[in-house]
Amino acid sequence: MLCSRRTKTLVSTCVILSGMTNIVCLLYVGWVTNYVTTGAPKGAQSGGADRKLDEDGKGETLRIMERLDRLESVVNEHIKETPQKDGQEDASSSDFASSSSLFDHWGHDLGPESRRVALRKFRYYGYNGYLSDRISLTRSIPDLRPDGCRNMSYSSDLPQLSVIFIFVNEALSVLLRSVHTAIQRTPLHLLKEIILVDDHSSSLELKEHLQRFVEETNIRYGLGFVKVVRHDKQEGLIRSRVSGWRAASAPVVALFDAHVEFNTGWAEPILQRIKENRTRVVSPSFDNIKYDTFEIEEYPLSAQGFDWELWCRYLNPPRSWWSQHNHTAPIRSPALIGCFVVDRKYFEEIGLLDEGMEIYGGENVELGIRVWQCGGSVEVLPCSRIAHIERAHKPYTENLSAHVRRNALRVAEVWMDQYKSHVYMAWNVPLQKSGIDIGDITERKALRSRLRCRPFSWFLSNIYPELRSYSNTVAYGVLKNNLRDNLCLDQGPDTDNVPIMYQCHGMTPQNVYYTSSQQLHLGVLSPTIDDDDNKCLVDVNSKPRLLECSYAATKNMKLTWTFTQGGSIQNMESLCCLELIETGQSEFSFQLVIQDCTDQKWTITNILTVLPQ
């Protein structure tokens, strides 16, 4: 699972999550450093609303440099913790072992050789495999269920379930702890089998040692209690889950990552809900296993949703849930984080997972949308809790964003009707001729027709009203000036509120959206009404600034602009234009200004409809 609890995306996070390579990421840092020291505007406002209109100060360059230092630190840490291939050594490991995030809260008493081994495992797995190997496979974890859960009773004839674990090159101790806690904390009369799906691991211990464990366990619990499905080639998480479903025989299947620990009483509340209504797809509530210390961190009760790039994210429970004043009640959820439990036959009827997707990402969102639109429901149960390791990095793919983007566009084309444009906008790709091969979607469209599914507009109105709509967007993409067509409008260092011109890369910080209300939004699309608002370009005392759109509108600030493709960008109140001036101090020595119009011309990548005049 790769799901965020953040409500606002940092520039550094946007760069890394958008798939930018480490080298390009460093170039970004290097150029912005050069920009700040030689060609930056002398003033930039930052902080909360009460500071947005402060006069430019001499300390602004220092503030930008401080933010840049944090950005560079994140990028350097990301580079240090790039996953390695099995057995690969890095001659420089000892040089930066002390600075790795692995050792921020753990391992201070380790010797040099132990630190080197721990770091190698960390880079390979994305979590502290060294520590995991030294923790009991059946350790106790805190019971974090709401108080009322302990007094609940369940039917005596609950259906049995098959627990399915998907893995590729997982640490053996982490995998075995997942299996052991499933056996230990699931009533045996409810647990029919455990299925392990190995998506073509190269690790030797996941072959010989795991097979020995399977044989010993089957001697104790019965032949076929633990089954292993091994792929001849790597299929990815999505198709691996379907492989597990095909091997299952219990009435209910539970599909999980292989780096979890089950809590007391996790199974009964889920099975009760599915027994009552087989069209429910149910997720437990998740807590975090810290990737470095393996301590359990309690997470607040949440629903599970997504943004317009279709990255999954945790959400506040809906108001209808809070109004019940019952923390044991099921939470209606627009989507799924990735681990879920479902009636085995209903899962097939509803179309399983989309096996036309690649590797990872988007399948959980697609399933949630599909279930809701086609007559089922999705919910999270507070009385079922499972702890899950959130890795520091993903070891099984080097370009996760490319897979998620392709999968997201596939979801958009099948399920999202006219709102598919939002997904294209969020990924900053053209709605027509995107150049991205999403594969054949004929069967998925036929599935939607056969199931007589509702439109996506129904889903937004009834299930996910918190998701912001951007139907008033008339143009989007990167915005260029005719003076330098290799530079694009960029949001600049996060929260400094000063747009800049930067070498074009097309990632999130350069996403521009022009609306029918003649506002220019820059940066990530704010996902929900509970998140911070979008940033709008505003004329503040003849200086270009980025302020929250709602704040600027409330304060009657100058945030509306006339724009025509290949024409000027002119503020409708000040009648001044957004333009570039050359400072002559560096290679990228153009800075943004608001001044009397000189007929500079701007172009944006994608036009959806006629631009407002």
Side-chain angles (χ1 to χ4, degrees):
M1 300 188 301
L2 182 62
C3 302
S4 174
R5 287 186 180 271
R6 295 177 184 270
T7 57
K8 203 66 176 173
T9 306
L10 300 175
V11 169
S12 55
T13 305
C14 287
V15 170
I16 291 171
L17 289 185
S18 296
M20 183 175 287
T21 65
N22 291 332
I23 296 299
V24 176
C25 220
L26 284 177
L27 288 175
Y28 200 2
V29 172
W31 182 80
V32 177
T33 303
N34 183 57
Y35 174 86
V36 169
T37 56
T38 63
K42 295 183 181 299
Q45 285 135 334
S46 61
D50 58 333
R51 299 174 56 193
K52 288 176 179 173
L53 300 180
D54 287 348
E55 292 295 319
D56 297 338
K58 294 181 180 179
E60 187 54 40
T61 297
L62 291 176
R63 288 198 293 273
I64 294 176
M65 290 299 294
E66 288 172 358
R67 296 187 186 279
L68 184 61
D69 287 341
R70 293 200 293 274
L71 171 63
E72 189 167 12
S73 174
V74 170
V75 172
N76 285 336
E77 194 64 40
H78 180 69
I79 293 172
K80 291 172 187 176
E81 293 164 5
T82 299
Q84 293 175 304
K85 295 181 179 179
D86 193 12
Q88 178 181 337
E89 296 289 343
D90 189 334
S92 62
S93 292
S94 60
D95 296 336
F96 58 76
S98 61
S99 64
S100 170
S101 64
L102 175 64
F103 301 111
D104 286 349
H105 307 289
W106 172 85
H108 298 161
D109 57 343
L110 292 181
E113 178 61 20
S114 295
R115 290 172 73 88
R116 186 188 67 81
V117 173
L119 182 62
R120 178 176 59 81
K121 286 179 176 285
F122 174 56
R123 296 180 69 189
Y124 182 61
Y125 296 121
Y127 50 69
N128 194 344
Y130 180 94
L131 177 60
S132 175
D133 293 344
R134 289 156 177 78
I135 295 175
S136 169
L137 297 179
T138 57
R139 68 167 181 167
S140 60
I141 60 175
D143 183 352
L144 299 175
R145 294 174 296 171
D147 291 339
C149 298
R150 296 169 180 80
N151 300 321
M152 298 183 73
S153 58
Y154 304 99
S155 300
S156 59
D157 59 344
L158 293 175
Q160 285 189 309
L161 78 163
S162 302
V163 175
I164 302 167
F165 294 107
I166 312 302
F167 65 93
V168 56
N169 292 326
E170 198 83 58
L172 180 62
S173 60
V174 169
L175 171 59
L176 294 184
R177 191 173 297 110
S178 300
V179 175
H180 273 289
T181 59
I183 296 173
Q184 183 184 44
R185 293 163 192 157
T186 308
L188 279 179
H189 71 282
L190 298 178
L191 181 58
K192 182 172 184 180
E193 61 193 356
I194 291 175
I195 298 170
L196 308 177
V197 181
D198 180 359
D199 192 24
H200 197 55
S201 297
S202 58
S203 171
L204 292 178
E205 68 175 5
L206 291 176
K207 294 180 171 61
E208 296 177 3
H209 295 174
L210 179 59
Q211 189 58 40
R212 188 180 310 123
F213 164 78
V214 170
E215 292 170 357
E216 293 172 354
T217 304
N218 284 340
I219 290 173
R220 180 175 180 182
Y221 292 99
L223 186 64
F225 180 72
V226 179
K227 303 174 183 177
V228 181
V229 177
R230 296 192 188 273
H231 288 168
D232 295 331
K233 63 177 183 178
Q234 188 168 343
E235 297 286 354
L237 179 144
I238 297 167
R239 289 192 281 270
S240 295
R241 293 195 179 202
V242 177
S243 291
W245 171 85
R246 290 192 174 104
S249 60
V252 176
V253 292
L255 296 111
F256 289 104
D257 297 335
H259 39 270
V260 298
E261 295 180 46
F262 293 82
N263 216 319
T264 302
W266 76 275
E268 295 92 326
I270 292 181
L271 294 174
Q272 182 70 44
R273 294 294 291 174
I274 293 174
K275 173 182 167 59
E276 293 169 358
N277 185 342
R278 66 187 292 269
T279 67
R280 288 174 178 148
V281 181
V282 183
S283 169
S285 294
F286 290 99
D287 297 301
N288 182 36
I289 303 173
K290 295 183 179 180
Y291 69 82
D292 50 355
T293 65
F294 272 59
E295 295 172 317
I296 305 297
E297 176 186 12
E298 181 178 3
Y299 272 170
L301 294 175
S302 305
Q304 300 165 7
F306 55 90
D307 60 23
W308 282 113
E309 288 183 340
L310 304 197
W311 292 103
C312 56
R313 62 201 317 269
Y314 292 95
L315 303 172
N316 289 327
R319 292 178 182 175
S320 58
W321 183 82
W322 291 106
S323 65
Q324 297 178 67
H325 304 289
N326 177 10
H327 284 188
T328 70
I331 302 170
R332 189 193 71 203
S333 185
L336 293 153
I337 289 299
C339 299
F340 58 92
V341 186
V342 61
D343 179 280
R344 181 171 59 87
K345 291 183 179 180
Y346 174 69
F347 193 34
E348 181 179 26
E349 293 165 13
I350 204 73
L352 300 173
L353 295 175
D354 182 358
E355 294 183 86
M357 292 184 172
E358 295 293 342
I359 307 296
Y360 174 95
E363 82 290 343
N364 46 350
V365 172
E366 189 267 357
L367 178 61
I369 293 171
R370 173 160 41 98
V371 168
W372 278 115
Q373 289 183 212
C374 303
S377 62
V378 179
E379 61 188 33
V380 178
L381 292 191
C383 290
S384 175
R385 297 195 79 111
I386 292 175
H388 172 273
I389 300 175
E390 293 190 3
R391 300 180 194 258
H393 54 257
K394 294 288 184 182
Y396 44 76
T397 180
E398 295 181 356
N399 196 2
L400 180 60
S401 284
H403 297 303
V404 176
R405 179 181 63 182
R406 177 193 179 277
N407 294 344
L409 298 185
R410 190 177 170 91
V411 177
E413 290 291 344
V414 176
W415 295 103
M416 301 179 79
D417 307 323
Q418 71 270 28
Y419 291 92
K420 69 181 183 180
S421 62
H422 288 50
V423 180
Y424 283 83
M425 287 190 295
W427 283 103
N428 202 6
V429 296
L431 188 58
Q432 305 294 334
K433 298 180 180 179
S434 68
I436 299 169
D437 182 7
I438 65 171
D440 186 358
I441 56 175
T442 304
E443 290 186 7
R444 302 310 285 183
K445 285 188 171 183
L447 172 70
R448 177 176 178 176
S449 177
R450 185 170 68 253
L451 294 175
R452 299 180 180 179
C453 304
R454 300 182 180 97
F456 189 72
S457 58
W458 174 89
F459 175 83
L460 289 180
S461 298
N462 294 276
I463 307 304
Y464 202 4
E466 300 88 355
L467 189 64
R468 290 181 188 266
S469 173
Y470 293 96
S471 298
N472 67 337
T473 302
V474 295
Y476 68 95
V478 296
L479 193 61
K480 297 182 180 182
N481 186 285
N482 65 306
L483 292 186
R484 288 293 297 269
D485 63 2
N486 65 326
L487 300 183
C488 290
L489 185 65
D490 191 296
Q491 70 180 23
D494 188 61
T495 74
D496 287 315
N497 301 323
V498 180
I500 63 175
M501 295 300 290
Y502 175 66
Q503 190 167 10
C504 297
H505 54 64
M507 304 300 174
T508 304
Q510 294 182 353
N511 287 3
V512 176
Y513 307 93
Y514 186 53
T515 71
S516 58
S517 58
Q518 298 180 288
Q519 296 178 358
L520 278 165
H521 300 174
L522 183 56
V524 65
L525 286 177
S526 178
T528 76
I529 58 176
D530 295 325
D531 290 292
D532 293 341
D533 198 2
N534 297 284
K535 291 291 185 70
C536 273
L537 180 67
V538 182
D539 178 348
V540 179
N541 300 325
S542 297
K543 295 180 176 64
R545 295 293 182 258
L546 294 174
L547 303 178
E548 288 189 8
C549 301
S550 56
Y551 171 83
T554 301
K555 296 295 184 179
N556 296 314
M557 300 176 73
K558 302 169 187 175
L559 78 162
T560 55
W561 306 81
T562 59
F563 167 61
T564 57
Q565 184 77 312
S568 63
I569 297 178
Q570 185 178 35
N571 189 276
M572 295 182 67
E573 296 181 59
S574 69
L575 301 182
C576 293
C577 285
L578 180 73
E579 298 194 340
L580 301 187
I581 60 171
E582 187 170 5
T583 63
Q585 298 175 3
S586 65
E587 180 183 359
F588 304 113
S589 55
F590 287 85
Q591 72 180 55
L592 285 165
V593 296
I594 295 176
Q595 61 182 16
D596 291 338
C597 302
T598 64
D599 200 32
Q600 289 186 21
K601 296 175 172 56
W602 294 85
T603 57
I604 195 166
T605 315
N606 305 293
I607 304 291
L608 290 175
T609 186
V610 177
L611 300 184
Q613 300 297 316

